[in-house]
Amino acid sequence: MDLLRNILLILHFVGLASLLGGFLVQIKAIIAGKGTIVAAMFHGALTQLVTGLLLVGVIQVGTLGHIDNTKIGIKLLVLIVITVLVIVNRKKPSVSSLVLWAIGALTLVNVVIAVLWK
């Protein structure tokens, strides 16, 4: 179970890098009002969602640690908002800068919650 947890955690980080990286590489375009939802953001959001849910399941089924359900619930809610924003806007040729800044900010909020909420 430890190996599975570690693999899922690594994939979760890859999803984070994809989602946040897809936002960061186009900051100039976002400022200019020409940002889009790139494939990396879409796949990163889905990877985060799937691996996050699997991580919680693996940890709860095994004896790999304690899960703070409130923390995980809030992180899930934030990620659902991110995922919905990405899915709803992914086919648009240009996405509102406000939406893209919200995706980037919410992604960072989830990182802060993960790191600082003990």
Side-chain angles (χ1 to χ4, degrees):
M1 286 296 240
D2 276 340
L3 177 62
L4 179 57
R5 182 195 64 190
N6 290 339
I7 290 170
L8 288 172
L9 187 59
I10 290 166
L11 290 173
H12 196 66
F13 288 149
V14 168
L16 170 65
S18 180
L19 177 59
L20 191 57
F23 166 77
L24 292 174
V25 298
Q26 58 176 340
I27 285 186
K28 282 186 181 180
I30 293 169
I31 291 170
K34 297 179 181 177
T36 61
I37 301 294
V38 295
M41 295 170 75
F42 174 69
H43 294 291
L46 293 181
T47 300
Q48 285 258 279
L49 186 61
V50 170
T51 58
L53 292 172
L54 289 172
L55 271 167
V56 169
V58 165
I59 291 169
Q60 283 191 341
V61 168
T63 56
L64 301 175
H66 170 72
I67 295 286
D68 183 337
N69 290 322
T70 304
K71 174 182 174 179
I72 296 303
I74 291 170
K75 285 181 56 60
L76 178 60
L77 180 62
V78 171
L79 184 56
I80 287 171
V81 171
I82 292 168
T83 306
V84 167
L85 288 172
V86 167
I87 290 172
V88 166
N89 291 284
R90 78 185 185 115
K91 297 288 185 181
K92 295 180 180 177
S94 181
V95 178
S96 162
S97 293
L98 182 61
V99 169
L100 291 164
W101 284 112
I103 291 168
L106 289 170
T107 302
L108 285 176
V109 164
N110 251 356
V111 171
V112 169
I113 292 170
V115 172
L116 297 181
W117 187 329
K118 301 294 178 185

